Amino acid sequence: MLHRTARRCLPSTPTFTGICFKSDTPLQDYDPQTDAEVEKLRHVYQRWGYLHSRTSPFLTMPLTSPLTEHLNTTPVDSAVVEELDAIYCSGIGLQYTHIPDLEKQAFLTHLLENPPFLDNEVAIDVAKVALRSESVDRFLGLKFSNLKQYGCEGAEGTLAFLQFVFKQCTANQINDVVIAMPHRGRISILTELLHFPYDRLLHKFSGNYEFHEEERGIGDVLSHLWTSVTLSECDNLNVTLLPNPSHLEVASSVALGKVRAKMKDLGTEPFYGDTESYPLPVLIHGDAAFAGQGVSFENVGKEQ
């Protein structure tokens, strides 16, 4: 039932604010209705190209697949082969032709064959956020060297990704975002994107509790901090970053439940009908955690 929210953001030809799409490729110069061989080769690359993607530095032996067999038996313009090889066999290997929804396949095909890039204004904004995050990480590492802070090193792309998501939400009738994520990068997302006050952060880093002195409680560890905020720069988008337990993926189930409650409260389909506002869950996992925790796949099943 949750997949309806995400589907609203998946046009077959995406148009995103601040994102430009490359269109001057050799694939634009042929007519799929008349050049059947090129179109057939294109589908073969879409189906098997991920097997030849350059994602592993240890894979040196050439693979044999239906793609290599097709290339050996079918003469095609070398420029088209080079372009298809650069698209489907590069550093990104995408296996997606098994997806039954043809609209989603068309969306992914467009992104692969017309790779997006940031315009200058958005690129500068992304760079500023990343540099501020790095400065905060360095300061905290020097000032509180005895504390494990789970900085954003290695997860800088998450900042850019969430910036992009927030800016696209209001254009797609999404007014509420609920995020469940692991420890890595949480401090940077709180301070740089969700306006978590630096004085509260330093108060917590200094060994104090996040509760008022008159309230009973000892608080939680630094990597479990949370917030709920309204982003005025994104047309008053409401964003909640959930507190996460040590078993990280449990927070994903809570995020889905929170979004389901918002859907019911707003009267969002499938409860009462179509409305002008939709909540969006954003579930972020590490590679190992996603593969190793059964609850991740249970959550994926809930979207049906």
Side-chain angles (χ1 to χ4, degrees), residues 248-296:
L248 307 177
E249 279 61 43
V250 177
S252 296
S253 301
V254 176
L256 294 180
K258 191 175 180 70
V259 168
R260 187 181 190 276
K262 287 179 177 289
M263 292 171 68
K264 192 170 184 178
D265 184 57
L266 293 169
T268 303
E269 194 179 7
F271 292 103
Y272 307 115
D274 215 2
T275 68
E276 296 183 355
S277 177
Y278 294 84
L280 176 70
V282 178
L283 313 181
I284 304 174
H285 302 275
D287 294 341
F290 184 82
Q293 298 284 349
V295 67
S296 300

Side-chain angles (χ1 to χ4, degrees), residues 2 43 58 66 73 107 137 191 193 230 239 241 278 295:
L2 296 175
H43 286 298
F58 304 104
T73 58
F107 174 83
D137 280 347
T191 56
L193 298 184
T230 298
V239 181
L241 176 60
Y278 294 84
V295 67

Side-chain angles (χ1 to χ4, degrees), residues 10 36 44 55 75-76 148 169 180 187 193 215 241 251 266 284:
L10 293 176
V44 172
T55 56
V76 185
K148 184 180 291 186
C169 280
I187 299 299
L193 298 184
E215 296 177 340
L241 176 60
L266 293 169
I284 304 174

Side-chain angles (χ1 to χ4, degrees), residues 233-248:
E233 66 272 23
C234 296
D235 295 333
N236 294 324
L237 177 69
N238 300 311
V239 181
T240 298
L241 176 60
L242 295 178
N244 60 324
S246 295
H247 295 283
L248 307 177

